[in-house]
Amino acid sequence: MFKKVYLVLVLAAALACKASPSKPVKVPGSNDLQPDEQQSVVCKQIASMISNYNYKKVDLNDSISEVVFNRYIKLLDENHSYFLASDIKDFDKYKTVLDDDLKAGNLNDAFYIFNVFQKRYIEHVNYSLAQLNKNFDFNKTETFVYDRDKLPWPATQADMDAMWSQRVKYDLLNLKLANSDMAKNKETLKKRYQSLLSQANKLSNQDVFQYFMDAFTEAIDPHTNYFNPSNAANFNIEMSRQLEGIGASLASENEYVTIKTVVPGGPADKSHQINIDDRIVGVAQGKAGEFQNVVGWRIENAIALIRGTKGTVVKLEILAAGAGAGSKPKIVEMVREKIILKDQSAKKEIRTYNSNGKTVKIGVIAIPAFYIDFNDYKAGNPNYKSTTHDVKLILDTLKRENVDGIVIDLRENGGGSLMEAIELTGLFIKTGPVVQVKDTKEQVEVDQDDDPGVAYAGPMGVLVDRFSASASEIFSGAIQDYGRGLILGTQTYGKGSVQSAIDLDRVLGSPIRDKISQLAGGGNKKVSTGSQNTYGQLNLTIAKFYRISGNSTQHKGVSPDISFPSLIPLDKYGEDTEPSAMPFDIIAKTTYTKTGDFTGVLPQLKKLHDQRMSTSDSYKYMLEDIADFKKRDAENSVTLNEGELKKQRDADEKKALERNNLRRVALGLPALKKGQTKPKDEDLDFVKREAGQIMTDYISLEPKLTSVTPQ
């Protein structure tokens, strides 16, 4: 179904090579960023595709325009700390024209708003730098309101200056509490503010375009998204848990692109010439390529040069860690390879429990996402990287180690590949439907597991939380509907929509690219973009999925069989908190045969769980943490009186240490002294421990109480 939809999108695309935008308005004091012809074409194309093919079928009208406008202003200045009230009044004229701008590919209005924002940003940071010449009185009774999203925008420049003066005072006070040397503190803060200015001046028109497209797509629905080329590359790395490059993570430090980690076995590691904190000052493509100096570059742009297709050569000029800026860099030549991000893949551990003198072993498999290497999959590589392949290997290992049951940990797993959710479910059932998908024509497709093989037939639980979403909800919902396993944790996110990832290079072909290059005066100049595409990627909502029982997970998510209090605020995070989200609904259930039914054992399991929680110090501390978070979340200001703030901080620090030690003792771990760091691999995850205990209870129940028959 999705291949057909993709084909329709590509074939039906009505392309315009040149829009006729209104004349851009210059904003003195900003970097006066302006859109290019390519962004105009992409904008118009995205507007057309969303209008015609998005599942919600939303008309771009004045009503939507106002939603886009409000979201755009919020993205730029959610805390009401940059724009003046007069700026917002000036922008009012755009409230009902952004829909027309989007359809015409006119980005001038959106860029004008951003340039005003950048002007204000630069003004306020420069004002903050000037404030460092002042002497502040930290004995005054004064309060800084740091959370301003519910307050009006400052009415005058004097109001804005007063607010920023307080912010500078708060930043200095924070440093003063740690170090009494005010001259050094001011120098530290000066460097921090100068770094903010430097980063602001590195913003490009791609950043502005991304902000505006985010405001537009999220006004339609929360999961239709446009990714510019660099963000598209990062998204696909997340999906595949692989990348093609040198095998090193990079960060920007003091204008240098700096090596922060090296992947074992990758090209950087095998070169034996690259170390942590080395700095990359130049990048060249191929053996004969010319070096481009990357000092002062934005990290995303430098990464785009360093990444690239496996098998190709990249040369780096490396300044060793600690070497002076004038030192001669060494040249390191490497052949790019495919890098598997093992730290971001499924992992296992085995936990042991005692049940009436008998040791019970529970295997825990943590799955961070439903990932797949689509390129390898499409190429027919049988060993393509995927969640299902990794979990199957882990299950084989756990069975050899004779575990009595398993827990699949999907907490904070935001989803990923729909296909992987289906394939993973298939590891635990023989055959049958896994999910139903309804498209824009109201046609329902039932996606099945057709493989009769079962990788694991023993007792299982699935641990979820509020950030378990999308593919996580498909999997946990199917496991619950089949009665195949116990769902433990909190209500899930509630994302019940399906997105198709559309490579806009496939839609906007080479003739359009050549035309854009001519219009932009690009000539024949080629710019290396590593593994990035040219136009970016659109993740378009094209369908809605439903459980095999007929219920949508949209809005409501999956409700656990045994619930835990949520550390994540349910009223702040979740699909039901998104204004543009689709509603919950129900379709007809599909035909499937349950493999078990926990109805008879759940009361007993809940009783045992509740008995433990009633006397559990860990559970009590978790409830206190939730209450403390709600209290802190309601606060929006802080004192600027040094004595009062120090007293408050000392009390908070003492309370945190005491609370942490109480948690540790409750889990059988030794208390820590002030300043002592906890051991690296220490596990304080009480919820995971209790999930294993619930599975131990289930395994230990008498057979007559167990209604589930393993397949």
Side-chain angles (χ1 to χ4, degrees):
M1 179 184 76
F2 303 118
K3 290 181 181 177
K4 291 179 183 176
V5 172
Y6 184 94
L7 198 57
V8 169
L9 291 172
V10 173
L11 295 177
L15 306 180
C17 293
K18 189 173 182 181
S20 300
S22 57
K23 191 175 180 179
V25 179
K26 290 188 176 295
V27 180
S30 73
N31 289 336
D32 206 34
L33 296 170
Q34 297 299 330
D36 56 40
E37 190 67 32
Q38 175 172 308
Q39 290 163 345
S40 175
V41 172
V42 171
C43 172
K44 190 172 181 179
Q45 184 61 40
I46 290 173
S48 173
M49 295 170 78
I50 286 177
S51 294
N52 292 304
Y53 305 112
N54 188 273
Y55 185 85
K56 286 178 73 174
K57 296 288 198 310
V58 176
D59 290 329
L60 297 187
N61 52 29
D62 288 355
S63 176
I64 286 294
S65 178
E66 190 164 348
V67 176
V68 174
F69 173 84
N70 290 332
R71 280 187 171 270
Y72 189 43
I73 297 298
K74 185 175 181 179
L75 277 173
L76 296 177
D77 189 13
E78 182 174 9
N79 205 41
H80 297 191
S81 298
Y82 297 99
F83 287 131
L84 290 165
S86 57
D87 295 327
I88 302 300
K89 186 176 181 180
D90 173 44
F91 300 153
D92 277 349
K93 59 181 175 284
Y94 302 120
K95 274 188 177 179
T96 58
V97 302
L98 293 181
D99 57 320
D100 301 315
D101 286 348
L102 287 160
K103 288 183 279 191
N106 177 13
L107 294 164
N108 289 333
D109 296 335
F111 270 69
Y112 170 73
I113 293 172
F114 182 87
N115 286 334
V116 173
F117 165 74
Q118 188 179 54
K119 174 187 177 181
R120 297 301 184 204
Y121 185 95
I122 291 171
E123 286 175 349
H124 302 333
V125 177
N126 277 324
Y127 176 81
S128 299
L129 280 165
Q131 292 299 293
L132 294 177
N133 296 322
K134 287 175 49 178
N135 291 319
F136 290 95
D137 181 0
F138 296 106
N139 295 315
K140 288 174 62 177
T141 300
E142 196 176 4
T143 300
F144 171 51
V145 179
Y146 56 82
D147 188 350
R148 296 180 43 84
D149 64 329
K150 293 182 175 62
L151 297 177
W153 275 274
T156 67
Q157 187 62 50
D159 293 338
M160 182 70 80
D161 289 347
M163 185 268 289
W164 276 87
S165 182
Q166 284 190 323
R167 177 170 172 172
V168 174
K169 185 174 181 179
Y170 177 63
D171 287 344
L172 272 175
L173 180 53
N174 267 323
L175 293 172
K176 191 172 187 292
L177 290 177
N179 184 347
S180 61
D181 188 339
M182 187 53 69
K184 187 174 182 180
N185 292 335
K186 287 188 175 183
E187 186 61 29
T188 298
L189 206 51
K190 180 180 178 181
K191 289 179 180 178
R192 186 186 302 173
Y193 291 159
Q194 287 173 335
S195 177
L196 291 175
L197 279 179
S198 174
Q199 294 305 311
N201 287 320
K202 289 177 184 176
L203 291 173
S204 69
N205 66 355
Q206 280 280 40
D207 298 297
V208 186
F209 187 54
Q210 182 70 68
Y211 276 126
F212 185 54
M213 287 297 100
D214 285 346
F216 168 41
T217 57
E218 290 171 13
I220 305 302
D221 83 80
H223 308 293
T224 288
N225 301 111
Y226 168 74
F227 297 112
N228 67 29
S230 62
N231 289 337
N234 290 332
F235 174 83
N236 291 312
I237 288 170
E238 280 291 310
M239 283 295 293
S240 67
R241 289 309 194 256
Q242 297 185 147
L243 60 86
E244 293 180 356
I246 65 169
S249 67
L250 309 174
S252 179
E253 293 184 354
N254 300 320
E255 300 295 301
Y256 284 102
V257 177
T258 307
I259 305 284
K260 300 314 294 181
T261 64
V262 175
V263 177
D269 181 40
K270 289 189 289 190
S271 76
H272 302 298
Q273 298 184 73
I274 293 178
N275 301 297
I276 305 302
D277 291 332
D278 282 355
R279 291 155 291 170
I280 300 172
V281 295
V283 182
Q285 308 298 327
K287 289 182 176 291
E290 294 183 7
F291 277 99
Q292 286 184 263
N293 188 286
V294 295
V295 176
W297 277 35
R298 290 186 63 195
I299 191 68
E300 296 89 346
N301 297 340
I303 288 172
L305 284 183
I306 297 166
R307 283 182 192 156
T309 307
K310 68 177 180 179
T312 59
V313 172
V314 62
K315 293 189 296 182
L316 305 180
E317 286 183 325
I318 300 290
L319 202 60
S327 301
K328 183 179 179 180
K330 62 182 175 183
I331 296 176
V332 181
E333 181 179 305
M334 289 170 282
V335 177
R336 297 179 176 103
E337 296 177 6
K338 180 171 285 187
I339 308 298
I340 297 176
L341 304 176
K342 293 181 180 179
D343 287 346
Q344 300 173 27
S345 303
K347 296 179 182 178
K348 73 170 178 71
E349 65 175 299
I350 295 177
R351 308 187 71 91
T352 58
Y353 296 84
N354 184 282
S355 177
N356 297 320
K358 177 187 174 185
T359 298
V360 176
K361 294 167 68 176
I362 303 294
V364 180
I365 305 175
I367 303 176
F370 286 80
Y371 49 87
I372 180 173
D373 185 341
F374 281 115
N375 291 330
D376 267 11
Y377 170 72
K378 290 174 183 175
N381 180 354
N383 297 316
Y384 63 89
K385 174 79 172 174
S386 78
T387 297
T388 305
H389 283 182
D390 289 349
V391 171
K392 189 175 187 305
L393 291 173
I394 289 172
L395 288 170
D396 290 342
T397 301
L398 292 175
K399 286 191 293 186
R400 286 195 298 270
E401 297 189 48
N402 298 314
V403 296
D404 299 290
I406 65 166
V407 171
I408 303 292
D409 189 349
L410 297 181
R411 289 175 299 169
E412 298 191 23
N413 182 325
S417 166
L418 174 65
M419 184 179 84
E420 281 304 298
I422 297 165
E423 296 280 335
L424 187 69
T425 305
L427 296 182
F428 303 100
I429 64 171
K430 286 185 177 179
T431 57
V434 174
V435 64
Q436 302 186 83
V437 183
K438 185 171 72 172
D439 65 18
T440 55
K441 296 180 179 179
E442 302 291 311
Q443 295 178 334
V444 177
E445 175 180 290
V446 180
D447 291 328
Q448 308 246 2
D449 165 47
D450 296 320
D451 184 355
V454 177
Y456 179 77
M460 70 178 291
V462 181
L463 185 56
V464 294
D465 68 4
R466 187 59 161 177
F467 288 153
S468 302
S470 193
S472 290
E473 295 171 299
I474 293 174
F475 175 80
S476 56
I479 293 297
Q480 189 176 56
D481 288 338
Y482 273 105
R484 177 62 189 87
L486 288 162
I487 310 301
L488 314 170
T490 60
Q491 181 190 19
T492 60
Y493 193 88
K495 178 187 176 293
S497 56
V498 182
Q499 285 70 44
S500 178
I502 301 167
D503 182 350
L504 293 177
D505 282 20
R506 298 279 299 275
V507 179
L508 299 165
S510 56
I512 301 297
R513 184 184 302 117
D514 295 341
K515 181 67 175 174
I516 291 171
S517 181
Q518 292 171 17
L519 291 167
N524 296 318
K525 184 179 179 181
K526 293 184 179 180
V527 179
S528 172
T529 57
S531 57
Q532 296 178 8
N533 65 3
T534 301
Y535 299 113
Q537 177 175 304
L538 177 65
N539 283 12
L540 186 68
T541 298
I542 58 169
K544 197 172 180 181
F545 64 72
Y546 297 79
R547 292 167 62 160
I548 54 178
S549 61
N551 287 332
S552 171
T553 57
Q554 181 66 18
H555 258 252
K556 294 191 176 182
V558 175
S559 296
D561 298 311
I562 297 179
S563 296
F564 289 81
S566 180
L567 289 166
I568 302 163
L570 302 183
D571 60 339
K572 288 185 174 292
Y573 302 98
E575 192 80 359
D576 55 2
T577 69
E578 295 283 353
S580 60
M582 293 186 289
F584 169 84
D585 64 336
I586 300 173
I587 62 172
K589 66 180 291 187
T590 190
T591 303
Y592 66 99
T593 303
K594 294 189 71 168
T595 63
D597 187 349
F598 290 96
T599 304
V601 299
L602 272 176
Q604 179 72 356
L605 293 175
K606 287 179 180 177
K607 180 181 178 182
L608 292 170
H609 167 67
D610 290 342
Q611 286 175 347
R612 274 193 303 276
M613 297 305 96
S614 66
T615 59
S616 168
D617 287 335
S618 294
Y619 186 75
K620 181 180 73 171
Y621 302 143
M622 184 168 72
L623 294 178
E624 290 175 358
D625 287 343
I626 293 170
D628 280 352
F629 177 85
K630 288 181 178 178
K631 180 183 176 184
R632 294 287 186 189
D633 193 50
E635 297 173 354
N636 67 353
S637 63
V638 63
T639 180
L640 293 178
N641 180 281
E642 182 179 3
E644 290 179 14
L645 186 59
K646 186 177 187 309
K647 183 179 178 181
Q648 179 183 313
R649 292 274 175 86
D650 288 344
D652 288 345
E653 185 179 342
K654 181 181 178 183
K655 180 179 178 181
L657 179 62
E658 290 174 350
R659 176 74 61 82
N660 187 48
N661 279 332
L662 287 171
R663 288 193 202 94
R664 295 176 61 81
V665 171
L667 293 171
L669 299 169
L672 297 177
K673 296 178 181 178
K674 184 178 180 180
Q676 184 182 356
T677 57
K678 76 178 187 70
K680 186 177 179 181
D681 298 324
E682 205 167 60
D683 188 359
L684 299 175
D685 193 338
F686 161 69
V687 172
K688 181 169 64 178
R689 290 190 181 203
E690 177 59 19
Q693 184 62 62
I694 292 170
M695 290 308 301
T696 300
D697 291 342
Y698 170 67
I699 292 164
S700 304
L701 288 175
E702 295 181 31
K704 61 185 176 66
L705 289 175
T706 307
S707 303
V708 178
T709 303
Q711 296 182 68

